[in-house]
Amino acid sequence: STGTAAAPHIPLHFSTHTPSVCASGQFVSTVMMDMGGSQSDELEFCLGTEQDFEQVLDISEGSHDGLDYMAVTYHCWLKEPGRMVFLAKKQGKVVALESALLVDGGETVVLQGLRVHPAQRGLGVAGAIQRHVSQYLRTHCPLVATRRLARGDDPGPEALSKYRLLSREAILTLC
């Protein structure tokens, strides 16, 4: 036990607004998250930029037992052909990230790097960005027929029951 209490389950109601293009020319969409009571938060989704780097590091706090790869890979991901890095922002601050890499001529997408800011975990933000990425891919990448999920942890049997495990591999980076 880490000593932190689990966040209470709060039913979320989503109302997606019409997608638009932000000032930088990126496809964005906005989702209203009704968190019960009078609290309502708006998430904006957009593609990541170099300027988002410090905030991306902030949301990665505690990921991978302090050995997170994002500090090294974020800039590479932004330049990698076929990869899109999606961000969810709340009040202008990055609160979540998910990347999608198109392979096999655009017929397969590999989803990687899902992470949510520690203060936003357990509030439905991960599900919201995953739904946004899925919608984006359906709209803008119609050839995608196969989705692959890359995970950096060892999921338990319950999580694995939703997926078909193709392989396990360990990656060691030597500097």
Side-chain angles (χ1 to χ4, degrees), residues 10-27:
I10 302 170
L12 299 174
H13 307 282
F14 295 94
S15 171
T16 305
H17 296 274
T18 305
S20 60
V21 177
C22 68
S24 66
Q26 298 177 9
F27 171 84

Side-chain angles (χ1 to χ4, degrees), residues 12-13 16 26 38-40 52 72 78 81 86 96-97 106-107 109-110 141 148-149 153 172:
L12 299 174
H13 307 282
T16 305
Q26 298 177 9
S38 62
Q39 185 181 6
S40 184
D52 297 310
V72 176
L78 292 178
F86 295 89
L97 176 148
E107 293 182 13
V109 64
V110 179
C141 307
R148 300 284 184 236
L149 177 64
D153 61 351
L172 177 63

